[in-house]
Amino acid sequence: MDPPSMWRATTVQACGLWPFAAGSGAPMTGVPLGQHLHTGATVCGDPISWFTRARYISNPSLFMLGMPGLGKSTLVNRMLIGMTATGVVPLVLGDLKPDYADTVRALGGQVISIGRGVGGINVLDPGAMGEAAERIGGEAGRVLLAEAHGRVLNMVAALITIMRGRPMDDHEQSVLSACLHHLRERSTPGRPPLLPDLLRVLDEGPDRVRAVTLDRGDQQRYRKAVDPLHRSLIGVLDGPLGDTFASETSTRINPNAPAVCVDISRIGEADTQLTAAAMLAAWSDGLGTVAAAHALADAGLAPQRWFFTVLDELWRPLRAASGIVERIDALTRLNRSLGLGDAKITHTLKDAEALGNEADRAKARGFVERAGMVVCAGLPRTEMEDLGRVIGMSQREIELVSSWSSPPGWANPEASSEPPGRGRFLIKVGGRPGIPIKVAITETERNLHNTNTRWAGKDLPQPRSGEHR
C-alpha cells in the first residue's frame, strides 16, 4: 500500500487533532505485518520494499533475534507470502524443522530434500552458474565461470574446515584452487567432477598443482605439502559427510520456480557437522543460482527477477568450527549488488559471543551491524542491553522487549495460554525509534505453519482416573 497524501493545517483549523496523541504514522510500504502495539495502526514492511521503494534502509537485509517459540519464523513466513505476490522469489536455504516447506508448496514452489538416503549436493558442481556461463559465452561468460570457481572453492574449504574444526592453511587453498582448475579443464561437458575426482588429482600430482606446492620436482616435498589436505578430503568422503556430498546433485534448484525451499529436516539434531555442511552447501547453491539468474538477465536471455533468501538457525553453522563465520560472510556479503534481500535468524547475540576467537565474534556481530532492519522478539534483559550497545536502543525499548520473554502464567492449565511475547516484535532501523508490532495470524497461516505438529492431535498422554493433572 502507498501511504495516503499528507496535508498541513493550523491548530485553529484542526483544533480537535491538537496536541497530537502520537507522533509520525506507521510505515505503509511493503508486506502488511501487523498492528502497532500502541496506536493500532497497520504496520507494513519488508527488507526489499523498504530498500527499493520507501528507501528507509540502505541494505536489503533483516536480522531477527528472539527466544524460541515466540513467532520468528511465523513473521518471516508472512513476509515470504507477501513478497511472492509482488514477484520476489523466496529462497529458504536450509529448512531445519521444517518451518517453510508447506508455505513454499502452497505458493507452487519447489521443495528439495537433503539428507542421508534422501538427497545430496555435489559441491564441485557449478550448477546454474556453469549453465548460465555456457549460454552467455564471451567475456561475460568467463567472468561468471570465474565466480563459480570461487564459490566451489569456498564450499570445499568450508567442508574441510568443518571436518578439522579449524580453518584451512593459505597454501592449502592455493593447492585446492589449482586442483579445481585442472578438473574443470578436463571434465566432460555435462558431467561435473565429484569429490573422488579431486582426490585422484591430488594423488596424481599434475604439473599445475605441483607448481603451487613449490616441490621443485621432489616427490617427498610434494607429498608433505598435500598430504594434510589429502587426509582431510578422505575424512570428508569416508566420514559423516560423504554420503551427502560425494555423489551427483540429486535435484537442482529450478531458477524459474516461484519459491524454493531446501529441506534438511531429516538430518538428526545431534548430527551437527552434517547439518552445518548441508546449510552451507544449500546457501552456496542458492546464491549461485541468484548470480546466474542476474547474469542471464543482464545478457538479455531471461527476465530480471529479485530474490529473498532466508538463512534460519544461523547459530548452527557458526558453532560447527572456527573460521566458518568467514565462509558465511563471504557467501552473503554482496547481497545488495546481487539484487538480493536476505533474512538471517538466530536466538541471541550470545550465539556470536560463543565463537572461538575474537575475529570470528567481530564478523558475527557485523551481521547485525550491517542489517538494514533488526527485528527483536522476546529476549532477556541482559541480552537486550548487549544488543543496545550494537544497534542503539532506549531504556524503554529494552524494558519492553525484555517483558516479552516472560513465560505464561500458571493460573489456568486448561486454557490454551501462550507466552505474553508471542507474536510481538520490535522493528529497529538505524537510529530511529523502534516500531513495536503485534502479529495476528490467519487460519490459513496457522495451518501452513505449526512448529509443534508433533504435539498436536488427540493421542497426547492424558492423566488416568484419580491422578492430578
Side-chain angles (χ1 to χ4, degrees):
M1 294 176 60
D2 291 325
S5 301
M6 182 179 291
W7 299 86
R8 294 180 181 272
T10 68
T11 54
V12 173
Q13 293 169 314
C15 54
L17 303 177
W18 181 267
F20 297 128
S24 60
M28 294 290 287
T29 303
V31 177
L33 300 179
Q35 290 182 297
H36 195 290
L37 206 58
H38 303 317
T39 68
T42 299
V43 176
C44 301
D46 61 79
I48 291 183
S49 296
W50 281 16
F51 175 71
T52 58
R53 293 169 56 198
R55 301 188 184 278
Y56 294 149
I57 57 179
S58 58
N59 187 14
S61 62
L62 176 151
F63 198 99
M64 185 177 291
L65 304 100
M67 302 300 287
L70 296 183
K72 298 188 298 298
S73 53
T74 300
L75 181 62
V76 173
N77 262 294
R78 171 164 292 185
M79 286 188 183
L80 299 188
I81 295 169
M83 283 191 283
T84 302
T86 66
V88 175
V89 181
L91 302 174
V92 183
L93 304 176
D95 193 357
L96 280 152
K97 290 183 179 133
D99 284 335
Y100 308 94
D102 288 341
T103 299
V104 169
R105 288 191 187 96
L107 294 171
Q110 178 189 31
V111 177
I112 301 170
S113 295
I114 299 296
R116 291 192 185 92
V118 178
I121 297 176
N122 175 16
V123 293
L124 302 191
D125 186 354
M129 293 182 77
E131 292 179 354
E134 192 173 321
R135 283 185 64 188
I136 295 169
E139 181 61 25
R142 285 192 292 273
V143 169
L144 190 60
L145 209 55
E147 187 179 341
H149 171 83
R151 286 193 178 274
V152 170
L153 174 62
N154 187 55
M155 190 57 230
V156 178
L159 290 184
I160 292 172
T161 298
I162 290 171
M163 280 298 302
R164 291 181 174 178
R166 62 173 180 81
M168 290 178 63
D169 297 328
D170 291 343
H171 75 275
E172 290 181 314
Q173 294 197 55
S174 300
V175 171
L176 186 56
S177 179
C179 289
L180 292 172
H181 277 301
H182 178 86
L183 271 175
R184 191 187 71 198
E185 292 167 0
R186 286 158 179 76
S187 60
T188 305
R191 184 199 173 276
L194 304 172
L195 280 179
D197 299 324
L198 186 59
L199 271 178
R200 277 193 291 274
V201 171
L202 276 176
D203 206 33
E204 294 166 0
D207 292 341
R208 181 170 192 162
V209 178
R210 287 179 178 273
V212 176
T213 65
L214 301 178
D215 71 325
R216 296 182 173 87
D218 188 331
Q219 178 67 11
Q220 286 188 334
R221 286 172 63 105
Y222 174 74
R223 292 315 319 175
K224 184 177 180 181
V226 303
D227 276 354
L229 179 59
H230 200 156
R231 280 193 295 270
S232 294
L233 284 170
I234 291 173
V236 170
L237 286 169
D238 294 339
L241 310 182
D243 290 345
T244 308
F245 301 106
S247 57
E248 295 181 2
T249 299
S250 53
T251 306
R252 285 189 173 183
I253 292 176
N254 177 9
N256 298 315
V260 176
C261 173
V262 180
D263 180 0
I264 60 173
S265 60
R266 300 197 188 183
I267 300 175
E269 285 278 335
D271 207 340
T272 55
Q273 286 187 330
L274 183 55
T275 298
M279 291 179 78
L280 288 173
W283 294 355
S284 181
D285 196 20
L287 296 177
T289 301
V290 171
H294 288 311
L296 289 170
D298 292 343
L301 299 174
Q304 183 67 58
R305 306 175 83 195
W306 287 345
F307 297 84
F308 183 76
T309 61
V310 177
L311 312 178
D312 204 347
E313 300 286 348
L314 188 65
W315 61 273
R316 294 215 182 195
L318 286 179
R319 293 184 181 178
S322 175
I324 282 295
V325 65
E326 185 174 346
R327 302 294 167 189
I328 298 172
D329 189 54
L331 284 172
T332 60
R333 180 175 282 271
L334 297 177
N335 57 342
R336 183 171 62 177
S337 61
L338 280 177
L340 173 72
D342 76 80
K344 298 183 183 74
I345 307 169
T346 190
H347 293 151
T348 72
L349 275 185
K350 294 289 191 298
D351 296 332
E353 298 304 320
L355 299 179
N357 57 67
E358 181 54 35
D360 283 355
R361 290 192 289 271
K363 288 187 179 74
R365 286 193 294 269
F367 294 150
V368 186
E369 293 166 351
R370 290 199 305 272
M373 300 170 63
V374 176
V375 179
C376 305
L379 287 166
R381 185 180 184 87
T382 54
E383 175 67 22
M384 287 303 301
E385 290 172 349
D386 291 342
L387 184 60
R389 285 189 282 272
V390 176
I391 62 172
M393 303 187 79
S394 69
Q395 196 62 35
R396 188 171 180 179
E397 289 171 341
I398 290 174
E399 290 172 357
L400 177 65
V401 179
S402 300
S403 70
W404 296 340
S405 63
S406 304
W410 301 100
N412 187 7
E414 297 291 340
S416 56
S417 59
E418 60 181 30
R422 182 171 293 170
R424 288 170 169 79
F425 304 91
L426 182 73
I427 303 173
K428 289 288 293 183
V429 174
R432 289 188 173 104
I435 304 171
I437 65 171
K438 165 68 176 174
V439 178
I441 63 174
T442 65
E443 191 62 30
T444 299
E445 289 174 302
R446 185 175 288 108
N447 292 334
L448 283 176
H449 177 64
N450 181 5
T451 56
N452 296 323
T453 52
R454 293 290 185 188
W455 297 97
K458 300 178 181 179
D459 298 328
L460 293 176
Q462 299 293 328
R464 293 190 295 271
S465 176
E467 289 183 340
H468 292 292
R469 288 183 179 270

